Amino acid sequence: MVATPFFEIYPNSNPIKREKRKKLLETPGFGTLFSDHMALVHWSEKKGWYKAQITARKSLSLDPASAVLHYAQEIFEGLKAYRSQDGRVLLFRPEQNAKRFAQSARRLSMPVLPEEIFLGAVTELVRVDSKWIPEGVDASLYLRPFMFASESFLGVRSAKKYIFCVIASPAGAYFSGGGELVTIWVEEHLSRAAPGGTGAVKCGGNYATSLEAQALAHEKGCDQVAFLDVIERRWVEELGGMNICFVLNSGILVTPPLGGTILPGITRSSILTLAAEAGMKVEERGYSFDEWQHDAADGRLQEVFACGTAAVVTSIGRVRHEKGEFVIGNGTVGSVAQELRQKLVDIQYGRANDSYGWMRVVNTPKLYL
Ligand SMILES: *Cc1c(COP(=O)(O)O)cnc(C)c1O
């Protein structure tokens, strides 16, 4: 896809042995296993982007005064590389991640990484580590591009040095047990994002502030937390790391509108396209927690599901909140969620016709397979 003479490649001299890798890839889990290499690019005010490398994955050494450790100038992305049955290596809409990364950089006052460097880093890393893409159902190589302020300085201003890095983690299903059905906690006090804040960009800080609510949700026996708007504490926004969709029995798919406090998910946007193609009426509009409870009680609400790169499409079967709990539909995986998920993964794994031009093929030398 992208020609990237920009990157110098230094192969890992001590990669994990073939047999061990094969064994590890049988049960990849999520986020604990990593490939042999990483992409690394530096930026300084003086030099701009420099020293772009694919190199052995190793610890980064940071000065304790590095700005990211104090003021949290950090952004990230998440996307996956898939292996198709005919052996091709595919990326799903990676230029959308590159664009969002640029938006996140602007919001956090960081240098904007050119799209071709983002795509080059991801592509070259996948090329070099293509043997790390697991083969099972729903398995993929999860890619985590991120950038942080590396300047040693305690003054408060945007840093003058940054490191951009991409690591790769073979992944199975996101929810342990492969559970495609989760219970969520609706949080009515703690907030994730406010107008004018950073809710619409992907930065580590958003996650840091969502963890207490996530822990509370776990205490309540829930898998995930859903946040409400901060002004009226009425409108449903999204989960800590996934967008949310409601399916009404009149064939309508409702999802909260993007407006600065919701992360514009690439999965969300793709699901809306696929739902419309399947003949559903798609409504991006405010949906209140009251309306949600009301629709669930009178049977108008058929399904609710979460969507995002890591979890793909995951049905929400049960909802808990301070005053009680309720079940969605019959409390099982919804058929609309299942159908949309299937349509999406069929495109991602190269099984279905890519009529929207979403997939990018990474040319991997046979050598690496
Ligand atoms: C990453 C993320 C999503 C999902 O975005 P995708 O592009 O679909 O992976 C949703 N919400 C939040 C808060 C996120 O960080």
Side-chain angles (χ1 to χ4, degrees), residues 244-256 271-272 275 280-283 285 287 292 295-296 298-306 313-316 328-329 334-340:
I244 191 165
C245 295
F246 303 86
V247 180
L248 306 181
N249 59 14
S250 37
I252 299 175
L253 189 143
V254 177
T255 194
I271 287 290
L272 297 188
M280 297 188 77
K281 184 161 181 281
V282 173
E283 292 181 358
R285 65 162 170 93
Y287 192 74
W292 184 356
D295 286 348
D298 75 7
R300 185 163 181 252
L301 181 64
Q302 228 173 12
E303 297 179 29
V304 182
F305 63 84
V313 170
T314 302
S315 284
I316 294 168
I328 310 289
S335 58
V336 172
Q338 213 163 19
E339 188 193 325
L340 292 173

Side-chain angles (χ1 to χ4, degrees), residues 87-166:
R88 286 174 305 154
V89 170
L90 302 167
L91 293 170
F92 179 69
R93 310 184 75 180
E95 51 307 311
Q96 296 298 317
N97 296 93
K99 286 196 168 69
R100 192 168 63 190
F101 198 67
Q103 297 291 333
S104 300
R106 283 188 194 97
R107 183 63 186 83
L108 268 79
S109 226
M110 298 165 93
V112 171
L113 182 73
E115 246 179 72
E116 61 271 23
I117 300 182
F118 181 99
L119 294 174
V122 163
T123 309
E124 291 299 318
L125 180 62
V126 168
R127 210 193 299 280
V128 169
D129 275 341
S130 65
K131 54 184 177 294
W132 281 95
I133 307 175
E135 281 186 6
V137 177
D138 289 342
S140 61
L141 184 63
Y142 182 81
L143 302 162
R144 168 54 60 84
F146 60 104
M147 176 162 65
F148 60 89
S150 55
E151 186 192 3
S152 310
F153 179 57
L154 295 182
V156 180
R157 57 151 168 74
S158 52
K160 295 183 178 180
K161 285 184 182 169
Y162 295 86
I163 291 175
F164 169 67
C165 183
V166 189

Side-chain angles (χ1 to χ4, degrees), residues 16-31:
I16 291 175
K17 302 265 182 310
R18 185 168 180 273
E19 285 317 308
K20 181 162 183 212
R21 185 184 73 236
K22 294 218 150 190
K23 190 94 195 119
L24 289 169
L25 288 181
E26 282 169 17
T27 50
F30 186 87

Side-chain angles (χ1 to χ4, degrees), residues 19 63 114 176 232:
E19 285 317 308
D63 187 280
S176 51
E232 296 182 70

Side-chain angles (χ1 to χ4, degrees), residues 76-79 92 96-97 100 142 144 192 199-203 206-207 210 238-244 261-270 307-312:
F76 68 95
E77 271 302 325
L79 69 164
F92 179 69
Q96 296 298 317
N97 296 93
R100 192 168 63 190
Y142 182 81
R144 168 54 60 84
R192 191 192 84 90
V201 304
K202 234 172 157 63
C203 62
N206 287 346
Y207 279 71
S210 74
E238 62 168 314
L239 310 192
M242 280 165 266
N243 295 114
I244 191 165
T261 55
I262 293 177
L263 199 288
I266 297 160
T267 315
R268 173 188 180 277
S269 128
S270 310
C307 62
T309 297
V312 195

